Amino acid sequence: MKNSAERLDWALNRCAESQLRMTPVRGAVLDFLSEQRKPVSLDEISQAPGVKGQYDSTTVYRTLMVFKDAGLVRNVGIMRRTSHFVMSVPGEVNYFLVCERCGSVVELGLTSGMLANLEHLALENGFATEGQSMDLHGICRNCKSASARRAPASKVMARYCLV
Amino acid sequence: MKNSAERLDWALNRCAESQLRMTPVRGAVLDFLSEQRKPVSLDEISQAPGVKGQYDSTTVYRTLMVFKDAGLVRNVGIMRRTSHFVMSVPGEVNYFLVCERCGSVVELGLTSGMLANLEHLALENGFATEGQSMDLHGICRNCKSASARRAPASKVMARYCLV
DNA sequence: ATACTTGCAAAAGCTTTGCAACCTT
DNA sequence: AAGGTTGCAAAGCTTTTGCAAGTAT
């Protein structure tokens, strides 16, 4: 994976190519995203140091949509309720393991062999392979042990979801 | 993968084990789910033949939550906006390829070797491997060719998302 | 009879859109 | 100057919750 500066550089170039005007918000969002290695939520971006208090969250949202359409970021469906975004730098693969219960995210280190296999499989099924992201949903160790201590089904009704 | 009857049978047993009362809605939802091979949305379930018009959608929702907590179904985050559910039958692996644009879903036929590799990798990262589901997000062939005809960025602004 | 379930209505929470004012090119 | 951008406010939607009435055990 490239370093932050390289990623930012790429993004800036990409913006220019797409003829997107460079504005303060966009710059700030790109700055923040270039430093992130995992998908971040819209809210996290709005709360980021250079963004919080400076710009309206609706604007941040629209900024992300523009970036998404220009192919700069990918909107990853990691959690059910909230959108997460990752910078979509060529050559970087974003494969994550996400916990279905607590939402924790871990980067998945796929071997190049597995990667090739997956891409081949995807292609076979009529999917484009470039710029894709994958998330493997499971239950992380913490939540796993928490559920072992889970109350019986009759009690579970009370909250529907014990984490 | 087991046939529908076997899946239903398993689900019914699982319900009994979890001491969930068997009611008409629950039966209807289980009937429907046992026949589905891909994740279905809450809405699709509510619109299913034996369910539509018979039961309140809030009830269907709560039914699914109960099933989820009892481990009968898995709430798959396939689309950003809507929840999808799959019956979580032991021994069945639910790995899907989903299009980021149109939401189409294709079952991913992983070889047992790849499956083992993935599970091993997940385990290494502190994730439980049983009952997991995976979705590989990409762009399907249709959407891919659609985007090739996409308007330039300046025009894209008008809609934010051309499919 | 007891405790879990259901329906209907309403609250929440995040995502999207409208529009007039503002700022890059 | 022209057309893309931003803020603020409001609309949209799916998901959640409250409660009293209904029902499986």
Side-chain angles (χ1 to χ4, degrees), chain A residues 25-69:
Chain A
V25 212
R26 295 182 177 179
V29 171
L30 250 24
D31 265 354
F32 179 67
L33 285 180
S34 68
E35 294 168 349
Q36 308 307 310
R37 304 293 144 134
K38 293 184 195 174
V40 285
S41 68
L42 182 56
D43 194 58
E44 289 175 295
I45 300 174
S46 294
Q47 297 304 310
V51 180
K52 181 173 186 175
Q54 304 286 309
Y55 312 104
D56 186 86
S57 68
T58 299
T59 300
V60 174
Y61 164 76
R62 282 201 260 228
T63 296
L64 262 341
M65 290 303 128
V66 172
F67 286 166
K68 174 180 156 192
D69 286 329

Side-chain angles (χ1 to χ4, degrees), chain A residues 4-145:
Chain A
S4 303
E6 294 172 317
R7 302 176 95 215
L8 180 57
D9 206 52
W10 169 81
L12 257 17
N13 280 326
R14 198 84 179 57
C15 271
E17 281 173 26
S18 295
Q19 298 179 286
L20 297 181
R21 292 187 178 177
M22 192 41 54
T23 64
V25 212
R26 295 182 177 179
V29 171
L30 250 24
D31 265 354
F32 179 67
L33 285 180
S34 68
E35 294 168 349
Q36 308 307 310
R37 304 293 144 134
K38 293 184 195 174
V40 285
S41 68
L42 182 56
D43 194 58
E44 289 175 295
I45 300 174
S46 294
Q47 297 304 310
V51 180
K52 181 173 186 175
Q54 304 286 309
Y55 312 104
D56 186 86
S57 68
T58 299
T59 300
V60 174
Y61 164 76
R62 282 201 260 228
T63 296
L64 262 341
M65 290 303 128
V66 172
F67 286 166
K68 174 180 156 192
D69 286 329
L72 273 88
V73 305
R74 195 153 49 243
N75 188 341
V76 183
I78 270 184
M79 292 294 282
R80 246 178 302 294
R81 305 294 306 269
T82 41
S83 285
H84 283 69
F85 303 84
V86 226
M87 199 170 258
S88 161
V89 187
E92 292 185 0
V93 264
N94 312 117
Y95 285 22
F96 303 98
L97 213 44
V98 6
C99 178
E100 285 186 347
R101 301 212 182 206
C102 67
S104 64
V105 179
V106 172
E107 186 162 0
L108 195 53
L110 290 178
T111 63
S112 56
M114 291 176 68
L115 201 55
N117 281 334
L118 275 176
E119 298 196 333
H120 179 247
L121 208 51
L123 215 47
E124 258 181 2
N125 285 287
F127 271 63
T129 58
E130 43 157 288
Q132 70 197 359
S133 85
M134 179 171 89
D135 16 308
L136 205 175
H137 293 250
I139 304 283
C140 73
R141 195 144 25 201
N142 285 343
C143 291
K144 179 83 180 184
S145 50

Side-chain angles (χ1 to χ4, degrees), chain B residues 2-9 31 34-37 87:
Chain B
K2 299 184 174 65
N3 65 38
S4 303
E6 293 172 318
R7 302 175 96 216
L8 180 56
D9 206 53
D31 265 355
S34 67
E35 294 167 349
Q36 308 308 309
R37 303 295 144 133
M87 200 170 256

Side-chain angles (χ1 to χ4, degrees), chain A residues 69 126 128 130 133 139 141 153 160, chain B residues 18 69 126 128 139 141 144 160:
Chain A
D69 286 329
E130 43 157 288
S133 85
I139 304 283
R141 195 144 25 201
Y160 286 113
Chain B
S18 295
D69 286 327
I139 304 284
R141 195 142 28 198
K144 179 83 179 184
Y160 285 114

